[in-house]
């Protein structure tokens, strides 16, 4: 008998349950796209443009075609049946770019694919590549966004009106007038250099076409399998039931695997044409030169404020160096427009003017990158806030406290139009401040002969965005819905299927915790299926900090619908009212009775045993529900960085890092900590190390990991993460998204800390990454004046 | 990033290795930590790789009449752990922690680093500082070269393609002395922007011998002779070091690269030179 006074239904949500993925992924049992070996596979290598902007005069394929082991050599003329990739937008002042799957007539960035070679191995394909000559005529081009903006700049796309492919204006009140009349103002010109994602696993695609069934399976290292299926289906003229995109284990994306790439279209097409599996695995050189890139922005901004430090108005001119093409499906507006919309941040800034322009340059397309737009927005705003504090001789915490939206102000519509709701803006700052006071920094400063600096950054982000707004400004695609299908099969086992695509977010664990808790079974007994379009009608994937909110919300709704069926069936079996039936820890029971069965017995009664239940009571134990949060949830955080700079060598060392964050109800604190740690590490890269550089001709000069520096464990400081659950949002579960936040706050906090450490030198820290070498140059320039 | 096709031989003796090298475009592979990335980029495309890892007599660290002999196949990690080296050249273990990362130190070899001749690398600097000799085996027998003869330019040495670097000899230092090493790289384990090693002997409170060697500032490791000469015979003090220190920069014209400008490198040379020199006299006083 289950005694109701003694039985406590186990809780799984909120518990630091160890990741269910770990035994597989940590012991080398993960199965990534490159691990999948199919017989008769042909391997692809691409010849990529070595010119930033040039006309293709001719390509000599003769020698390569006859090389032993070469299966086929392809150029743009072999893909005339595939329409160009076009990212359309609802935005006014937006020009669509046409991106052929292989460069046709002209190349527009170093790294653009020009020739595809299929061979019996990647080695042979590369041998063949070495035999191919491409004759280019270099064309005049403006390499930097500033040059490309100029009226007489050569156009990268002949058919477009100019290189400026998007422009959007934000205006609340009259910012120029308010600024002119304000008692105080601070300004700066800030820049964030280009970055790229650097996943451990490079992009990889394997297409397997079944001639008999006329069906294509595409194994794809992507975080948007649903979008890839829908668009490749469109481009190759296949119905959705003829193409199945499977994202197997995916070793990171950080945004880099979140767009549609020419290579995956070519892999899919060639598998059908050659009637054999086709595999392409990018190498590190290709990852660093031909996967989507990030940032590349310059912002000139002014913040006006009164004598108390209360913000009056903000004005910003934003230029985004968007690269050669507007990326599918997000468009080039994704990154720079979000800089403009998130610039006012979590502060009450009543008046705002922002103009953003996206400019085509001969560089790889920019695309999503963890944090999208907000790392730059927060960097600019938080630097301005610190400059304002310095000007008024106000503490860095106090000026933020005075301007952050308060609990009683929610919902607060920011001057860029974003609605912030119920999130611990003030509470995060307060918690961070307390943690800083325990570091005893004054004492540390006294004892040290190094320059020690402290930097704060506060931010808010919209996460789990619903169908009301697109995650990418102007993108005509619904990213605000997720569907869960949960079933109990004939053995009593629970399987939950989603359209999301985990690539490091631990969703197999967190969704199992949610389903387990709702149904009353152990998380490890729930099988989560995701990243496979065969199991979802519509699903766009995992990005934009959406999967916990949308996937988790759908999991709760669907579990509850299924639980009703479970209880109805059990009620019939027990001959009680369904409301008396409880579940927990794998049992279905009625308190204080002997009525108790497990899920296996329930399934047997429903599916197999034809005697126990009358036919009309044999419910199919499955449910499917969708969830759409319509608007979204507000996550917020305060970051603090403590840096130490060696005055002799200018080496910058992060000593401490503090994060106080409010992501609503924590599903699993271990997972949240992991996401914060990883996000901050990426932010450390943004702030101190990572920089894609191009020379005057548009040649990338950071094409290896010896040149493009990513943070390692040695660069990471001790980190404190403080979780706040202030008022929970009204969505099912009360979850908010938090996968990107670490990368959003860290760059600004570190920049402010470096600026604080060198404040006695009067240096402007207005460009990231800031490195010892750049500090040296800044100091040298200052001493010249 | 796949290498072009090559022939692969794995001789068991030095004689067989020499015979295998008697072939156009043959290249020795030991740890492969520099060669393989270059082959994957197809920057080098040897027709034949001669793997010397099976040749047993090359992996010893041994004491000789005049010094320590480090075999060509000794790995960075083995050198860092060697008690013999720790006894006579403690600077080596100090420098080894800066050589890339554990996995690379376990595979990469001393001789490989010498032959790769990266101007920022630790071994070329150490062998130059310690006035070592490079033992080279060719068809006409064994010869030896001094570092200033051996290193010609970045990634270029005078060793012939048909020869094998078999060992490094480090002569023992007669007088009691101190050594120190430091380097600055943007991340732990990266190639140094600047690396500095020093060896200081003091007799009767006078600097009787000073060596200061710099990496990352020229085509090859360089000794700061002007500085050394100015300091020898001076009282062993912070003041004498400070007085002579500007001479370290004499005639130095480092290159700019994307991680460190020439001016920044020069500032690092001064800072690190001071640091390592003070380290040595701190220990003595």
């Amino acid at each position: 008998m289950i005694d109701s006074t003694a039985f406590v239904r186990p809780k799984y949500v909120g518990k630091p349950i160890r990741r269910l993925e770990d035994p597989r992924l940590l012991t080398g049992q993960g199965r990534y796209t490159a691990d999948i070996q199919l017989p008769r596979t042909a391997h692809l290598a691409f010849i990529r443009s070595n010119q930033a902007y040039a006309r293709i005069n001719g390509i000599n394929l003769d020698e390569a075609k006859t090389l032993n082991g070469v299966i086929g050599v392809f150029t743009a003329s072999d893909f005339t049946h595939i329409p160009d990739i076009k990212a359309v937008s609802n935005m006014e002042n937006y020009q669509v770019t046409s991106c052929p799957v292989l460069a046709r007539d002209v190349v527009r960035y170093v790294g653009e694919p020009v020739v595809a070679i299929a061979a019996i191995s990647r080695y042979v394909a590369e041998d063949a590549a070495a035999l191919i000559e491409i004759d280019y005529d270099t064309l005049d081009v403006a390499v930097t966004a500033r040059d490309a903006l100029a009226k007489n700049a050569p156009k990268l796309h002949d058919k477009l009106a100019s290189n400026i492919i998007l422009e959007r204006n934000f205006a609340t009140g009259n910012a120029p007038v308010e600024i002119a009349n304000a008692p105080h103002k601070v300004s700066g010109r800030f820049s964030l250099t280009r970055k790229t994602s650097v996943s451990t696993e490079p992009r990889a695609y394997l297409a397997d076409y079944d001639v008999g069934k006329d069906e294509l399976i595409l194994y794809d290292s992507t975080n948007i399998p649903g979008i890839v299926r829908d668009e490749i289906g469109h481009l190759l003229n296949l119905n959705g039931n003829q193409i199945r995109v499977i994202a197997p284990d995916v070793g990171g994306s950080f945004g880099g695997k979140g767009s549609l790439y020419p290579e995956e279209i070519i892999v899919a097409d060639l598998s059908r044409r050659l009637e054999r599996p086709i595999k392409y695995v990018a190498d590190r050189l290709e990852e660093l030169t031909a996967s989507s890139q990030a940032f590349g922005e310059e912002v000139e901004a002014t913040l006006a404020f009164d004598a108390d430090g209360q913000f009056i108005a903000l004005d910003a001119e934003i230029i985004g160096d968007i690269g050669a093409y507007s990326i599918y499906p997000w468009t080039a507006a994704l990154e720079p427009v979000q800089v403009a919309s998130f610039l006012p941040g979590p502060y009450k800034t009543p008046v705002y003017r922002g103009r953003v322009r996206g400019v085509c340059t001969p560089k790889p397309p920019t695309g999503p990158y963890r944090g999208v737009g907000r790392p730059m927005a927060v960097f600019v705003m938080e630097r301005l806030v610190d400059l304002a504090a310095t000007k008024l001789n106000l503490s860095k915490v106090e000026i933020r406290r005075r301007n952050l939206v308060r609990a009683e102000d929610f919902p607060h519509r920011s001057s860029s139009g974003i609605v912030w709701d119920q999130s611990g803006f003030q509470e995060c700052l307060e918690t961070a401040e307390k943690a800083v006071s325990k570091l005893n920094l004054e004492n540390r400063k006294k004892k040290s002969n190094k320059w020690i600096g402290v930097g704060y950054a506060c931010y808010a982000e919209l996460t789990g965005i619903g169908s009301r707004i697109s995650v990418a400004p102007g993108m005509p695609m619904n990213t605000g819905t997720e569907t869960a299908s949960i079933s109990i099969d004939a053995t009593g086992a629970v399987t939950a299927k989603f359209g999301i695509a985990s690539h490091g977010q631990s969703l197999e664990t967190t969704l199992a915790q949610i389903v387990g808790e709702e149904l009353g079974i152990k998380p490890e007994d729930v099988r989560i299926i995701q990243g496979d379009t065969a199991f979802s009608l519509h699903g766009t994937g995992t990005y934009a900090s959406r999967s916990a909110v949308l996937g988790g919300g759908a999991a709760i709704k669907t579990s509850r619908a299924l639980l009703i069926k479970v209880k109805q069936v059990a009620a019939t079996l027990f001959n009680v009212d369904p409301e008396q039936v409880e579940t927990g820890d794998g049992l279905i029971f009625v308190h204080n009775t002997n009525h108790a069965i497990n899920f296996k017995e329930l399934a047997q009664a429903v599916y197999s045993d034809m005697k126990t239940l009358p036919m009309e009571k044999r419910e199919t134990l499955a449910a499917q529900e969708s969830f759409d949060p319509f608007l979204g949830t507000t996550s917020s955080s305060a970051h603090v960085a403590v840096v130490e700079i060696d005055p002799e060598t200018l080496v910058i060392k992060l000593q401490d890092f503090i994060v106080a964050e409010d992501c609503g109800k924590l599903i699993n604190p271990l997972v949240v900590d992991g996401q914060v740690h990883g996000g901050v590490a990426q932010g450390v890269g943004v702030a101190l190390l990572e920089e894609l550089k191009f020379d005057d001709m548009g040649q990338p000069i950071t094409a290896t990991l010896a040149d493009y520096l990513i943070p390692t464990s040695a660069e990471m400081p001790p980190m404190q993460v403080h979780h706040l659950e202030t008022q929970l949002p009204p969505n099912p579960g009360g979850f908010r998204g938090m996968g990107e936040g670490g990368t959003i706050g860290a760059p600004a906090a570190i920049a402010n800390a470096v600026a604080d450490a060198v404040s006695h030198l009067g240096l402007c820290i207005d460009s990231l990454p800031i490195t010892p070498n750049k500090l040296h140059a800044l100091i040298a320039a200052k001493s010249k004046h | 990033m796949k290498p072009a096709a090559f022939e692969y031989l794995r001789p068991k003796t030095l004689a067989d290795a020499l015979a295998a090298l008697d072939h156009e475009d043959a290249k020795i592979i030991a740890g492969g930590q520099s060669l393989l990335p270059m082959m994957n980029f197809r920057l080098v495309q040897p027709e034949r790789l001669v793997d010397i890892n099976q040749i047993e007599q090359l992996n010893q660290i041994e004491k000789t009449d005049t010094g320590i002999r480090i075999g060509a196949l000794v790995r960075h990690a083995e050198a860092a752990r060697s008690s013999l080296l720790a006894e006579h050249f403690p600077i080596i273990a100090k420098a080894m922690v800066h050589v890339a990362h554990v996995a690379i130190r376990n595979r990469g070899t001393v001789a490989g680093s010498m032959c790769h001749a990266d101007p920022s690398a630790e071994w070329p600097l150490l062998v130059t500082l310690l006035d070592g000799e490079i033992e080279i085996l060719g068809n006409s027998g064994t010869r030896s070269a001094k570092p200033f003869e051996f290193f010609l330019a970045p990634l270029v040495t005078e060793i012939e393609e048909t020869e094998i670097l078999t060992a490094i000899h480090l002569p023992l230092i007669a007088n009691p002395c101190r050594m120190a090493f430091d380097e600055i790289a943007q991340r732990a384990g990266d190639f140094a922007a600047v690396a500095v090693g020093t060896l200081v002997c003091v007799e009767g409170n006078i600097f009787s011998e000073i060596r200061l060697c710099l990496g990352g500032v020229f085509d090859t490791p360089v000794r700061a002779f002007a500085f050394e000469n100015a300091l020898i015979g001076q009282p062993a003090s912070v003041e004498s070091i400070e007085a002579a220190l500007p001479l370290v920069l004499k005639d130095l014209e480092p290159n700019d690269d994307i991680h460190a400008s020439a001016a920044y490198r020069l500032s690092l040379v001064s800072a690190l030179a001071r640091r390592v020199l003070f380290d040595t006299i701190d220990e003595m006083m």
Side-chain angles (χ1 to χ4, degrees):
Chain A
M1 193 190 297
I2 293 170
D3 179 356
S4 62
T5 56
F7 181 83
V8 181
R9 196 174 196 258
K11 284 277 186 192
Y12 305 119
V13 171
K15 294 284 185 299
I17 289 169
R18 286 195 191 181
R19 301 206 317 157
L20 301 175
E21 296 93 330
D22 277 346
R24 175 174 95 245
L25 297 178
L26 301 185
T27 60
Q29 304 302 310
R31 208 163 95 112
Y32 299 86
T33 299
D35 294 326
I36 301 169
Q37 311 277 347
L38 299 176
R40 291 185 69 246
T41 297
H43 298 263
L44 282 195
F46 289 91
I47 303 182
R48 296 172 181 280
S49 169
N50 59 13
Q51 304 280 315
Y53 187 40
R55 186 163 305 284
I56 303 170
N57 275 336
I59 306 177
N60 186 344
L61 304 174
D62 298 345
E63 244 190 297
K65 279 184 171 167
T66 58
L67 186 73
N68 204 9
V70 168
I71 293 160
V73 183
F74 307 90
T75 63
S77 61
D78 298 299
F79 293 103
T80 51
H81 57 292
I82 302 180
D84 289 356
I85 306 167
K86 289 182 180 174
V88 296
S89 174
N90 295 330
M91 254 176 65
E92 284 175 58
N93 301 324
Y94 172 82
Q95 303 187 72
V96 180
T97 58
S98 257
C99 177
V101 291
L102 287 178
R104 184 177 55 229
D105 307 327
V106 292
V107 290
R108 293 190 176 88
Y109 65 93
V110 176
E112 181 169 10
V114 182
V115 181
I117 302 156
I120 54 165
S121 73
R122 175 70 179 248
Y123 291 87
V124 173
E126 292 194 20
D127 289 344
L131 300 174
I132 292 172
E133 280 169 43
I134 305 176
D135 180 25
Y136 294 108
D137 266 349
T138 305
L139 299 169
D140 269 353
V141 71
V143 171
T144 66
R146 283 232 162 248
D147 290 345
L149 267 178
K151 272 215 171 66
N152 54 353
K155 286 192 290 179
L156 193 65
H157 295 269
D158 279 351
K159 290 181 182 151
L160 301 187
S162 76
N163 291 324
I164 304 169
I165 65 157
L166 66 97
E167 177 169 341
R168 187 158 159 190
N169 292 282
F170 292 75
T172 298
N174 192 334
V177 168
E178 295 284 348
I179 289 170
N181 296 332
H184 300 284
K185 53 188 159 270
V186 288
S187 303
R189 182 193 275 195
F190 302 93
S191 65
L192 207 47
T193 57
R194 277 190 168 227
K195 324 273 177 216
T196 193
S197 299
V198 196
S199 306
T200 309
E201 181 208 19
R203 290 193 286 126
Y205 313 116
L206 169 63
D208 184 18
Y209 179 63
D210 184 324
V211 186
K213 290 186 188 164
D214 190 16
E215 181 191 50
L216 183 76
I217 298 179
L218 178 62
Y219 301 92
D220 193 319
S221 176
T222 182
N223 55 286
I224 51 164
I227 293 174
V228 170
R229 179 197 61 182
D230 296 357
E231 186 60 10
I232 290 188
H234 161 241
L235 293 171
L236 300 187
N237 207 11
L238 288 166
N239 294 323
N241 58 11
Q242 288 176 288
I243 173 168
R244 174 179 176 191
V245 177
I246 302 174
D249 283 327
V250 174
S253 164
F254 312 104
K257 293 173 185 163
S259 301
L260 181 73
Y261 285 92
E263 294 92 340
E264 59 201 323
I265 302 166
I266 289 174
V267 163
D269 184 60
L270 286 181
S271 183
R272 286 175 84 208
R273 282 163 66 177
L274 301 178
E275 298 188 353
R276 60 194 297 170
I278 303 284
K279 192 182 221 177
Y280 166 71
V281 181
D283 59 34
R284 195 53 71 187
L285 176 64
E286 291 174 303
E287 281 290 278
L288 289 171
T289 55
S291 284
S292 70
Q293 302 187 345
F295 309 142
E297 284 143 353
E298 217 175 271
V299 177
E300 278 188 82
T302 301
L303 176 66
F305 46 97
D306 67 17
D308 295 327
Q310 214 75 53
F311 301 160
I312 297 169
L314 177 66
D315 182 275
E317 273 289 326
I318 298 151
I319 298 169
D321 173 357
I322 67 100
Y325 300 101
S326 182
I327 204 157
Y328 187 90
W330 317 106
T331 80
L334 175 72
E335 168 72 34
V337 173
Q338 301 217 68
V339 175
S341 46
F342 284 89
L343 201 63
Y347 302 107
K348 284 181 279 185
T349 313
V351 174
Y352 176 50
R353 185 200 75 95
R355 177 169 74 149
V356 52
R357 286 175 293 171
V359 189
C360 275
T361 58
K363 303 190 190 103
T366 48
Y369 177 95
R370 197 179 197 171
V372 183
R374 290 151 302 188
M376 181 54 167
V378 175
F379 168 50
V380 172
M381 188 63 182
E382 293 299 306
R383 285 297 299 126
L384 290 172
V385 172
D386 266 20
L387 291 172
T390 305
K391 191 152 192 184
L392 293 180
N393 204 14
L394 207 57
S395 100
K396 308 273 169 66
V397 174
E398 184 53 30
I399 194 165
R400 288 177 167 82
R401 189 179 289 131
R402 289 183 189 177
N403 288 283
L404 281 174
V405 176
R406 292 168 186 280
E408 61 268 27
D409 302 326
F410 291 122
H412 172 82
R413 190 185 166 84
S414 86
S415 50
S416 63
I418 295 171
V419 178
W420 299 129
D421 204 2
Q422 298 304 350
S423 192
F425 292 10
Q426 295 277 357
E427 292 86 344
C428 286
L429 178 63
E430 199 179 311
T431 305
E433 187 191 18
K434 269 187 203 147
V436 172
S437 68
K438 287 185 186 152
L439 295 177
N440 207 354
L441 291 175
E442 286 315 311
N443 202 24
R444 209 190 279 181
K445 281 182 191 171
K446 262 182 228 152
K447 283 188 189 159
S448 175
N449 54 3
K450 308 264 166 67
W451 302 332
I452 292 174
V454 185
Y456 281 81
C458 296
Y459 70 83
E461 51 169 336
L462 269 189
T463 61
I465 294 171
S467 61
R468 171 72 179 76
I469 33 180
S470 170
V471 301
M475 181 184 70
M477 183 183 283
N478 174 26
T479 53
T481 314
E482 265 303 319
T483 304
S485 307
I486 308 181
S487 56
I488 301 169
D489 67 21
T491 71
V494 174
T495 303
K497 299 164 187 165
F498 297 87
I500 50 113
S502 184
H503 47 283
Q505 288 81 358
S506 318
L507 290 163
E508 287 174 55
T509 306
T510 49
L511 290 174
Q513 286 176 259
I514 293 169
V515 173
E517 175 153 325
E518 291 291 331
L519 286 181
I521 60 170
K522 292 190 173 85
E524 56 265 40
D525 291 334
V526 180
R527 167 80 64 184
I528 301 293
I529 293 186
Q530 45 87 40
D532 186 338
T533 60
F535 298 107
S536 62
L537 306 176
H538 166 258
T540 50
T542 289
Y543 51 87
S545 302
R546 70 190 292 274
S547 293
V549 178
L550 276 77
I556 289 174
K557 283 181 72 180
T558 309
S559 298
R560 288 178 185 172
L562 179 57
L563 190 63
I564 289 171
K565 292 186 175 187
V566 167
K567 288 185 175 179
Q568 273 166 354
V569 172
T572 308
L573 290 174
F574 299 154
N575 198 17
V576 298
D577 190 89
E579 285 182 8
Q580 291 177 271
V581 179
E582 298 284 329
T583 62
D585 209 13
L587 286 182
I588 305 157
F589 58 90
V590 178
H591 275 303
N592 304 321
T593 71
N594 285 327
H595 293 315
I597 56 172
N598 59 30
F599 279 75
K600 186 175 182 179
E601 290 163 321
L602 179 84
Q604 195 152 18
V606 170
Y607 295 119
S608 311
D609 172 3
M610 295 294 104
K611 290 179 202 136
T612 316
L613 279 174
M615 201 170 74
E616 67 277 10
K617 296 282 185 187
R618 292 180 205 148
E619 286 260 23
T620 304
L621 298 174
Q624 178 169 302
E625 296 287 332
S626 294
F627 174 60
D628 177 350
F630 193 61
L631 277 173
T633 65
T634 304
S635 294
S636 60
S637 183
H639 285 207
V640 187
V642 181
V643 303
E644 173 197 273
I645 300 175
D646 183 326
E648 291 174 351
T649 62
L650 303 177
V651 167
I652 306 167
K653 188 173 165 26
L654 269 171
Q655 285 192 318
D656 288 282
F657 206 95
I658 295 162
V659 175
E661 59 85 34
D662 181 2
C663 68
K665 176 74 188 165
L666 302 182
I667 302 172
N668 184 331
L670 283 182
V671 169
V672 175
D673 280 347
Q675 288 275 35
V676 172
H677 292 163
V680 168
Q682 206 164 350
V684 169
V686 171
L688 297 175
L689 294 164
E690 298 182 41
E691 180 168 9
L692 287 170
K693 295 189 187 196
F694 297 83
D695 71 10
D696 296 346
M697 305 290 287
Q699 290 288 339
I701 53 174
T702 44
T704 75
L705 291 179
D707 303 310
Y708 185 77
L709 307 182
I710 57 171
T712 72
S713 55
E715 280 70 52
M716 291 306 294
M719 220 185 285
Q720 298 178 27
V721 186
H722 301 270
H723 305 292
L724 282 82
E725 288 180 5
T726 59
Q727 190 172 335
L728 296 183
N731 51 301
F735 315 131
R736 298 190 181 102
M738 52 68 52
E740 298 171 273
T743 314
I744 296 173
I750 296 167
N752 277 344
V754 171
D756 184 43
V758 298
S759 57
H760 59 289
L761 302 174
L763 306 180
C764 296
I765 305 301
D766 50 15
S767 177
L768 295 181
I770 179 72
T771 64
N773 189 41
K774 289 185 188 174
L775 271 182
H776 184 267
L778 287 175
I779 293 169
K782 194 88 190 173
S783 63
K784 258 185 209 164
H785 286 299
Chain B
M1 273 189 5
K2 301 288 184 203
F6 55 85
E7 179 190 15
Y8 175 77
L9 298 178
R10 196 163 52 176
K12 291 233 177 340
T13 65
L14 279 170
D16 288 351
L18 279 179
L21 285 172
D22 192 11
H23 182 275
E24 196 157 336
D25 260 341
K27 198 130 181 73
I28 296 172
I29 183 163
Q33 298 303 297
S34 305
L35 180 60
L36 286 181
M38 293 201 296
M39 286 174 65
N40 286 341
F41 275 111
R42 298 196 179 208
L43 291 172
V44 290
Q45 301 189 17
E47 281 190 14
R48 172 185 282 185
L49 275 193
V50 180
D51 181 341
I52 59 170
N53 283 294
Q54 302 287 310
I55 302 173
E56 274 177 24
Q57 71 246 51
L58 294 182
N59 60 12
Q60 305 296 321
I61 301 174
E62 58 207 350
K63 195 158 184 198
T64 66
D65 295 344
T66 54
I68 308 287
R69 182 179 185 274
I70 305 173
L73 285 176
V74 169
R75 317 283 153 171
H76 306 303
E78 291 168 339
R81 282 196 300 265
S82 159
S83 51
L84 201 53
L85 288 177
E87 184 187 336
H88 297 284
F89 302 105
I91 189 175
I92 289 176
K94 282 183 197 162
M96 286 303 102
V97 298
H98 295 281
V99 179
H101 307 283
V102 172
I104 292 171
R105 294 201 286 269
N106 284 340
R107 282 212 159 240
T109 62
V110 177
S113 176
M114 291 293 289
C115 290
H116 186 58
D118 188 293
S120 294
E122 290 78 6
W123 278 109
L125 185 152
L126 290 169
V127 176
T128 306
L129 173 76
L130 299 172
D131 207 13
E133 284 196 11
I134 298 135
E135 180 190 296
I136 296 164
L137 179 70
N139 284 317
S140 49
T142 297
R143 66 183 180 93
S144 76
K146 294 297 254 179
F148 66 88
E149 302 163 328
F150 182 76
F151 298 114
L152 300 180
L155 312 187
V156 183
T157 69
E158 56 94 36
I159 198 165
E160 298 288 333
E161 287 193 343
T162 52
E163 293 180 316
I164 303 172
L165 192 162
T166 44
I168 303 296
H169 288 272
L170 299 178
L172 294 183
I173 292 144
N175 299 322
C177 70
R178 299 285 174 187
M179 304 173 204
F181 180 92
D182 204 354
E183 71 171 55
I184 296 291
Q186 206 174 337
R187 289 179 308 183
D190 282 340
F191 274 111
V194 171
V196 180
T198 191
L199 182 155
V200 175
C201 302
V202 175
E203 287 174 80
N205 211 26
I206 297 289
F207 285 123
S208 60
E209 183 168 8
I210 290 266
R211 293 184 215 162
L212 186 75
C213 188
L214 314 172
V217 293
F218 184 65
D219 288 356
T220 64
V222 280
R223 288 271 295 271
F225 287 117
F227 167 80
E228 294 176 2
N229 292 337
L231 209 51
I232 290 172
Q234 296 295 314
S237 70
V238 167
E239 292 73 26
S240 348
I241 292 172
E242 286 287 5
L245 209 54
L247 290 171
V248 174
L249 300 182
K250 192 171 181 306
D251 300 328
L252 273 191
E253 288 176 12
N255 289 325
D256 287 318
D257 72 18
I258 58 172
H259 299 308
S261 67
Y264 178 51
R265 280 176 209 274
L266 289 176
S267 77
L268 287 178
V269 168
S270 297
L272 292 185
R274 180 183 288 116
R275 207 166 273 187
V276 294
L277 289 159
F278 285 8
D279 267 4
T280 59
I281 59 168
D282 270 358
E283 281 183 47
M284 281 182 278
M285 286 166 184

